[in-house]
Structure formats: structure tokens, C-alpha cells
Amino acid sequence: MSSSVQTPPRGPILVPEPPPPGHARSLRATVLRVVGAVMVPLLAVGLLWWTLDFLRDSDANRFLVVGVALVVGVLGVFGLFWSMNRVVDWLPERFQEGARPYVFVGPALVILSVFLVYPVINTILISFKDAQSKSFVGLDNYKFVFTDESMLRSIRNTVGWIVLVPLVAVTVGLAFATLADRLRRGEAVAKSLIFLPMAISFVGAAIVWRFIYSFRPEGFGTNIGLLNGIASGLGHDPVPWLQERPWNNLMLMVIMVWMQTGFAMIVLSAAIKAIPDEIVEAARIDGASEMKVFRHITIPTILPTVVVVTTYMVINALKVFDIVFVMGNAEANGTEVIAERMIRWFFIGDNNGRGAAIAVVLFLAVIPVMYWNIRRFREQEAIR
Amino acid sequence: MTATAVAAKKEEERKGGWFVRITIVVVVLLWTIPTLGVLVSSFRPEQLVDSTGWWTSLAHPLRDAEWTLGNYRSALSTGGFGNAFLNSLAVAVPSTVIPVTIAAFAAYAFSWMNFRGRHLMFVAVVGLMVVPLQMALIPILRLYTGGATLGGVTVFPDLDLGGTFLGVWLAHTAFGLPLAVYLLRNYIGSLPSSIIESARIDGADHFTIFWRLIIPLSVPALAAFAIFQFLWVWNDLLIAYVFLGGSHENRVLTIALADLVGSRGENWHLLTSAAFVSMALPMAVFFSLQRYFVRGLTAGSVKG
Amino acid sequence: MRLRTLKLRVFAVPVVALTLLAACGSDGDKDIANTQPGATGTVTVFNAMEPEEVTALQKVVDEQINSKVQYKATIEGSSQFEEQIKIRVQGGNPPEIAMYPQPGTVVELGKSGKAIALEDMGFNIADMEKTFGSYFMSLGAYNGKHYGVPTNINLKSMIWYPKKAFDAKGYKVPTTFNELITLSDQIVKDGTSPWCVGFESGTATGWPATDWMEDIMLRTAGAPTYDKWVTHQIPFNDASVVKAADQFGRILFTPSYVLGGAANTTSINFGDAVAPMFTNPPKCMFNRQANFIASFFPKTAVAGVDYDWFPFPKMDQPGDAALFAGELSVVFKDTPAVRDFLGRFAGTEVQCASGRSIGTSRISPNVNVGGDCYANKQLADASKVLTAALKANTARFDASDLMPSAVGSGSFWTGMVKYVQGGKNALAGVLSDIDKSWPTA
């Protein structure tokens, strides 16, 4: 890829920073710098605080709130990074290289620690406690997770979800992105239609699939579900699709594939379009078939993106809950999945300990995926 | 482009043309039919929706009794939708912009800066994608309403963020960050190292490189993530419920929709129209950002 | 732990509720709490009500309370009540008042110290027991203190029928279960399936079947055994439970009794299940469901003409039993406004006004609210049945809402689905599975 992209333009857009302060500088300049180093971030924080106070006022005019929020969101956050970067500039030179990365990753790490890491620790803690999180019960909750019949079924089903859903969604997404790229007209429309399900809220999606799977036995009126409409059109009896074990699991996976393929398609399509035309054209001129171009140029170039998309799909399939949850009594239908069990025990079964222990199983399940990712990224950095 | 190349391109289109087009049409149909069912139903009277399949109306497209705007009328007239729309906007826009900015900085650092443990840190960030947000809500709400102290030291101040927009933005930012960092790191990390190196040689510091070079180059990736995050936030029900509440002044569009239907689902036919009403804005956003995915944008911006 | 409190709760029920109920009419019109000084600010009342219900009740509250006081009370309904209230309470951000449909949860809140005891807010419990009956009050009690004010009640023991067609056939409303079976046989003979049954309810699929079980259990085993069943003093596969399930099976599994067959009922939404009753001629004659089901009837159907209801008939036990559900209002923030609001809201005047509002369709647990307070005859009749059963101490709260949620909102639902699908042979396994799922601590 590097061969095709030209050297960036020099000059006006890359203004070098002023040289760092030398010993010869006057005392006044040093004082000014120190004062500046303190004042700039203080002002930034003060400004953020003031807007925070304003934004906390829930009675304020909505338009004004959106406006201020936009300004704070764009300028405020940028200003925060900018002023932190300035502070690093005023540090002694030998510390600068060490400190600067933390200016860049710092805000992300702080937010993630508070909003995600802390809850994870909290979850791990209560997974060793009883239903009301009062006293420690050792490994009891984990024993439940790995012995309860319904839990074991949910683990089995989840394995099915994390294999099948990413496989189908990524394959269809990649195929569609590749083929749509070759359309002369209508690419935008075709891609938008695949993407459409992502724009539907889950409440809406539940209705969408009700019109597919709905079942009415003899006497309860005409079937309004498409599948049973087709079945009766072919002279079959209507089928309670969501009760037919084990196929009902597949019926539910179809919903997730339907919702998520758009994501895979869009991201992969962006990656395909980022492949420089020159490379593809060169290969074609050399007489490579379309299949060869796909296998030897497209796939290797977008492989990192395929990994990213697959990882995201696997994690999402691991976390799937609402589809299973609203589409019937999972335990009675044999469609339990891990995250659905977690919600059920935590929020409905009133058992914090069991719910948390199931969540910890989810955390652990992601480790192999992450290990695979580390290796991919090491490889990528070695070759770029 | 040489004459041979043009000929090769023609050849390719002849070969792949029909197969490509038919496959695309079949997949698009498969993906659209479920939604089409609801779209058709949203224009049918309640009794018909419940008593015959939606496809039967397609057989009589001109029969008046088959069609109505009543579902849209009653969904929109329920009241409070305008306010809910504004609230959704007030939640979704900052909840998209803030994580994109923060994640872009972090993704740059993870790709092009050297510091100890960055691989491990990065993978930890991405691994956080797996945290089910339901498990995070109670601890976060507790921080919002009471802060946190550790051995008498305040580690998180009591900001009283419950029921505020700021509280929702921060929560959405946090839940969106892992994916954002992941996607952007993948994109920014794959940019050719020659660009960054030559800029370094010219004396540009990281901040300048990031802002003047990386950001313009990353527009497609930024736009892609922005779309996902926006859709996610727009369609979210749970976080908005927990941190803003379901009162008429504060509720967002998804809550208004859920309220319309009720917990026993008596009015589910109204959802057919309401689902499309709530989809309008996200689709507009998608179409307006679509142009960022156009071929050659990346290369073009570099070529200047 | 939970078990112990439940035992306590049930045995604390004085059998004298009835006499008190009868006696309280005279002084019933005084509010249970007096107007509080300094009652300002806002009171948010969070609950699981339907959107129409919320609108109608807010109107009642605006007219009857907000217009007369210095604070503003807001009714906030949510279809996600259970999850939301748990997050808000545990996250330290509860509303002032929440209306819980599950008394078991109210006891847990008292136990964990999250809820504020009515005693500590200066409510007169003796007065309240006169107003609401001590059985209902006792459901929200823990360790001698009360945590829930009954603010709504609904009758579950109702069998709905298409009155016009029913009368035209010359059928008579049955008063005993045997008469009901005989009539069902007659209807089959006349070429119709007597029962419309639907147990599907998304993730909660199976709950309407638990209501059936409870109704039959209450009438075959009687209230004292029912209480033991609820608190797990008898195993879930006790002979009395088996007997009730067998009676339920007589309806489910007798050929031609259930429209579409028993196995399909778990795929039929409980709301859709009433539709065949309103075709012409009706495809079924009976649907057993709580009073809210009327909102699923066709909008053109007229109460008392096109449809009506009769109480679930007597079985082995003497007296009129009634299965009911309801709400206990729990206080999380004790302010003068909250005290004042609860006093007014549960009081006779506001309760009567809310009964009169068609949109709320609420029946008041306040016994001073007379039949003339209700918007229609259906609601008034239901309130009459409830009062009579409360007087005979044969009214009992929905068992699945009293059992630990692992059972009451879990294995009981699932077990009933398996029974309905699997038939009589599945029963023994189903009941022992539910019994095993009962939490030990």
C-alpha cells in the first residue's frame, strides 16, 4: 500500500513548533511560560466546568443545550487535548517523549477505567457473593454456572451463535461489498438497503420479525407471518417456528445476521475502496482474473479489517440477549444464551451473584479472541 | 489509463455483469422483505393488519379500503414526540462527537507513538467491548448519585449527574470508545509509515501530524464509526432510561415509542408507523455521510 | 431467609379482616394521613402501568391532588419497570414512590433497608388495616413493619364469554367446576371448541398458565394450603398441587376442549387468544383472564351485550375464592409531600375518582370505595367479588408474585409451558423440577 501513496505536501500545513526555551532566555519569559502552563489548562477546565453546570440544568432550552453540547463536544474536547499537549511542551525535554502518549490516550483510559473497568471489578467481586451481595459464598455461583442444565445449554447455544453469526454476516458482507463495488449504477442504493436494518431500533426489529415468524393455529384467523403465509400457500399446516427445537436457534440467529451484515458490509466496503486503483489496474493489465485479484490483492490488503469486523461480530454474538429475550420463553424453547441467562438471573431472578458469575464467564470467553488480535497487530506493525 | 486497460475493464464488466447484478438483487430482496412487511403494514388499517397477511394488500394496490394514514396520524398525535425527538438529538449528537474525538487521539497514540505496554493497553481497551452494559449501569449510577471514596479519599467526586444530559453523554462515550478505538486504530495504523516519517523529518510534532495529516486522511473511518455510534445511540433505550429517565420532559424517542405500545403490547400496530418515523433521521444521516465512502477519497486527499 | 419472612407474613394475617372490613364503613371517609406542613416540591410515582392508564391516572391526580396542594405529583409508567426500578434503587437514584406488582420484592426492599417503613412515616397501621384488609397489608410487611400501601387491586378469577351467542344457545352460567365441565362437553357436542387459551407472552410465556394453576389450587386445596404452597412449606410436587394440575389438565387435554389444541397454546399470545370469541359465530365460548383483558377485545364489542364474565366457579372448597393481583406503593424518600400524597392518593376520595375514570380501569383496594364509584358494571362486579372473598378470607394474592422470583418469574412459567406441551405424562417431572429450583437460602 505504501508504494502508491505519495509523499505528503510540505510547507504551510506543517508549521514547526517554536524551539524549546534555552538558558539564555530571560527570567520573565520563563515566568510567563510557567504561568501559562498552569493557566491554560485551568482556564480550559474552568470553562468545561461552567458549561457542565449549564448542561446539568435539565430545564434549559433543548436547542441551546444541543448547541452548547456540540461546541463543548468538538471544541471543548479538542481544547482539552490541545492544552494538555501544551503542558507537555513546557516540560523538560527529556520527559516530553515519555509523557506525550499519555496526553493522547489519557482521556480514553480515564473514561474507560471509570465506566467499564470499575464495573468489571465490581462484577467480579459480587460474583463471589450471595444473591443479595451480602456475604461471600466462595465458588458457589460458578458451580451453578457449570452444572445447571439450562446454563450448560446456554453455553452450547452461545458457541453456535459466535461461530455461525460472524461467519454468515462477514461472508455475506464481504461478498456484497466486493460485488457492489463492481456495479456501474445503484451501488449506494443497494448498500443502503443492506444497511437499513441497522437504522431500526430493537423495538422496531421485534415487530419486523413478528411479521415473519408469527404463528396462528387453525381457528385463530389467517396467518399474518410471512413464513406461515408461504407454508399455507403451499398447502402445509402453519408451523410454530420459534418452538421448533433446535431450529428455533437458527431462526433467532437469522435476525442477528439480518441486523449486523450491514455493519460488516460498510466497513469492508470502505476498506476495499481504500485499495489504490493503481495496484488493481496493474494486476488486471498483467492479465490477472477477477478471482485472482480478489484472492491475491483484495483479501491480503483488507485482512486486518476482516479481523476487526469478525472480532466485533464475535463479541456482539457473545453479548446477544435482546433477540433471544423478547422472542419467547428461552428456557422453555431451549434457546438460552449466556447473556440472556445473565440478565434473567440478575434482573428477574433477583440473584446478583449468579448474574455476575455468568458475566465473568463472558469476560473470560473474550480472552482467546483478544490473544488472536494481539498477534495480528504485531504482524501488521512488523510489515508496514 | 491505457487502451488495454479500458478493454480489460470492458471485458470484466461483460463477464461479471449479469452474475453480479442478479446476486445483488437477490441479497437486497432478502434483506428488504422483512422491513417491507412493516412498511406495507404501517399503511394498512389496524383490523387488516391483524387479520390478513401484509402481502395480500400488495395484490390490490389501488383498493382504497386497503390503505390508510391512520397509523401515522395516531402515532404522531400521541403527543410529546417533538420533545422526544429533540431530546434524542441532544443525546445523540454529543454522544457521537465526543467519543470520535477521544478515540481518534487514542488510536493515533496506539499506532504511531512508542510507550510501554501499549499493546497490552490497547488489547485491554478492545477487550472491554465484551462488558455487557447492563452490568455497568448500577455501578455508574452509584458514582453519579454519590461519587466514590476509597479509604476516605474521594476518587470520584459526587457530580450529581443522574438525570442530566452530560451523564448520558459520558456513559455513551464510554460504551462507544472500545469499538471506536479498535476501528480507528485499524485504519490509522494501516496508513503508510512513510507519510508520518517524512512529516517527522520536517520537524512536525505528534499533535501537528495528528491534526493536520491523520485526521483528514481518516475521514472515511471517522465517518463510518460516527454513523454506527449515532445509530446505536439513537436506537438506545436502556442507557437513556437509566440516566435520563422516562418522564415526559426527558424521555427520548425510543422511550416514547416503547410507551406507545405499552407493556402488554395492545397497540403494537402503531409501532409499524412509529418505527419508520424514528428511522427517518438516522437514514438521512446515513445518506449524507455516504459520500465519504466514495472511491478514491483517501488517495485524493493525499495527492492534494 | 426469604422463606422465613414469607411464613411470618402469611401467619400474621388475622382472620378478623372481615369483621373490620364490615365495620370500617362508618369512619372510612377520613384520610389515612393528614395534610403535612411544608409539603412542597415534586413526587414521582414510578410504576408498570400502560400508557393509557398513566394518562388517565395523571388526570385524576392533577384534578384531585395537584390542584389542591403546593407540590406536583407525576405518574411515570414504564414497560421496563422491573429492570429500571432495580437499577435505580441499587444505583442510589430511586423515585419518591414506586408501585410494585410483586409483594415479595417489597419485603426484600424492607429487609435491605432501601424502603422506608410506613410506621416510621407516621402512618397509622391499624387504620390502614381497616381500610385495606390486613391480608393485603401483611404482604408488604417485614419484621413487624409495613413497607407497602395497597393502591390497586385487580381480579384474576374471571371467565369471559361472548354473551349474545352464549345466551342464544341457551347456556347457563355455571357456578361449580363440574357444571363448567358439563357445559364444556355440551359446547363440544354443539360443534364448537369451548375454550380459547393463549399462554404466549414473549419472555414471560407461561404466566397465564400459572394463573390457572393458582385459581384451581385456591379452590381445590383452600387458602391455608395455598399459603403453604406459596411459602414452600409443602413441596411443589405435593399431592395437592398434583391434584390441581390434574384438574387444569381436564380443561387442557380433553379432546376438542381447547381451540387449536393444547400444545399450540404456548405459541398463541394471550391477547390474540380472545379473538375467536368475537367472530360470528364465535369459535370458542370461554377465556379465563384478569380484568385487563377487556382492552384486547374488539373496539366495537359492547360490555354486557357482546361479552360478559362470571367468576371462576367453586370447586372442592366452600365459599367464594378470589385470586387477585395488585400494587403495593413503596416509599424511598420520606418528605412531607410524599406523606401527604400517599395519604390523599390511597384515600377514599381519590380512589373513588380513579375508579370512575374509564381510562384507568383500576379497582381500589380501599374497601370504602363503593360499587357506585366505578365507571361500569364489569368493574363494579369485580370489586364486589373481591370484597366478598376478602371478607371470607378466601382471597389470595397471585402466588407467582409471592414466590421467590427464581420460581415465580422463572421455573413456574417454564414448567407450565412444559406441562402444556408435554401433556399429562410430563407433569411429575415438571413439578419436581420446579421444586428443585426453589432457592435454598
Side-chain angles (χ1 to χ4, degrees), chain A residues 52 56 62 69-70 85 115 181 192 207 216 222 258 261 273 277 311 319 321 373-374 377 381 384, chain B residues 31 50-51 87 93 111 118 123 129-130 144 159 166 169 174 182 185 189 207 249 271 287 293 295:
Chain A
L52 183 148
R56 219 167 25 192
R62 290 286 181 274
L70 263 177
N85 190 53
F115 286 85
D181 190 44
S192 305
I207 288 293
R216 285 175 178 173
T222 324
W258 177 76
T261 300
K273 292 196 181 302
D277 288 345
T311 303
K319 283 185 358 182
F321 121 84
N373 265 275
I374 291 200
F377 274 107
E381 297 206 339
R384 78 179 172 196
Chain B
W31 250 255
D50 212 39
S51 58
N87 284 335
V93 174
S111 319
R118 74 189 165 108
V123 162
M129 274 201 288
V130 84
Y144 277 6
L159 294 180
L166 192 64
W169 299 337
Y182 192 37
R185 156 74 181 75
F207 200 83
E249 302 82 63
L271 253 194
F287 277 112
F293 302 127
R295 181 194 295 273

Side-chain angles (χ1 to χ4, degrees), chain C residues 223-256:
Chain C
T225 313
Y226 183 92
D227 294 340
K228 285 185 190 154
W229 177 51
V230 165
T231 50
H232 208 217
Q233 284 168 293
I234 56 171
F236 208 103
N237 49 1
D238 185 78
S240 59
V241 187
V242 175
K243 190 180 166 201
D246 281 339
Q247 293 293 331
F248 183 23
R250 282 174 78 187
I251 301 280
L252 284 173
F253 304 125
T254 306
S256 306

Side-chain angles (χ1 to χ4, degrees), chain A residues 75-201:
Chain A
L75 295 183
V77 175
F78 178 76
L80 189 75
F81 279 103
W82 184 82
S83 48
M84 286 197 305
N85 190 53
R86 293 301 291 187
V87 172
V88 172
D89 282 343
W90 283 310
L91 283 177
E93 205 158 345
R94 62 203 153 99
F95 295 131
Q96 285 190 12
E97 273 308 290
R100 207 176 307 270
Y102 295 100
V103 169
F104 279 60
V105 294
L109 294 185
V110 168
I111 290 185
L112 289 173
S113 313
V114 172
F115 286 85
L116 291 175
V117 177
Y118 160 66
V120 166
I121 296 169
N122 181 62
T123 304
I124 295 173
L125 251 168
I126 60 173
S127 76
F128 295 105
K129 291 186 176 181
D130 64 8
Q132 300 300 319
S133 305
K134 287 236 172 66
S135 49
F136 283 94
V137 294
L139 290 174
D140 278 10
N141 294 319
Y142 291 92
K143 208 180 112 200
F144 165 80
V145 168
F146 293 108
T147 53
D148 179 65
E149 187 195 331
S150 175
M151 267 313 302
L152 293 175
R153 203 160 46 229
S154 78
I155 293 172
R156 271 202 306 277
N157 287 339
T158 302
V159 171
W161 279 81
I162 61 178
V163 171
L164 291 175
V165 171
L167 189 72
V168 177
V170 174
T171 310
V172 174
L174 179 59
F176 195 87
T178 313
L179 295 180
D181 190 44
R182 292 164 56 184
L183 281 181
R184 241 176 316 170
R185 278 182 300 131
E187 182 185 352
V189 175
K191 277 161 65 178
S192 305
L193 287 172
I194 301 294
F195 189 76
L196 192 76
M198 288 205 69
I200 303 179
S201 65

Side-chain angles (χ1 to χ4, degrees), chain B residues 209-220 222 297-298 301:
Chain B
I209 294 175
F210 172 75
W211 198 249
R212 310 298 289 267
L213 203 54
I214 300 295
I215 289 294
L217 281 177
S218 308
V219 167
L222 294 174
L297 184 93
T298 328
S301 65

Side-chain angles (χ1 to χ4, degrees), chain B residues 46 50 134 137-138 141-142 145 162-163 237-238 241-242 245-247 258-267, chain C residues 46 48-53 76-80 83-84 86-88 90-93 270 272 292 295-296 299:
Chain B
E46 185 188 347
D50 212 39
Q134 291 90 349
L137 295 176
I138 292 174
L141 193 58
R142 229 180 273 150
T145 50
L237 177 84
L238 189 57
Y241 231 133
V242 172
S247 69
D259 283 355
L260 192 66
V261 183
S263 49
R264 295 193 205 103
E266 293 101 315
N267 297 323
Chain C
F46 194 48
M49 284 179 208
E50 300 301 309
E52 296 87 2
E53 240 176 307
E76 192 184 321
S78 169
S79 49
Q80 324 251 317
E83 197 180 36
Q84 285 300 318
K86 169 153 182 167
I87 292 170
R88 289 182 67 173
Q90 293 205 359
N93 187 29
F270 68 92
D272 290 346
F292 70 78
S295 60
F296 287 86
K299 294 196 170 64

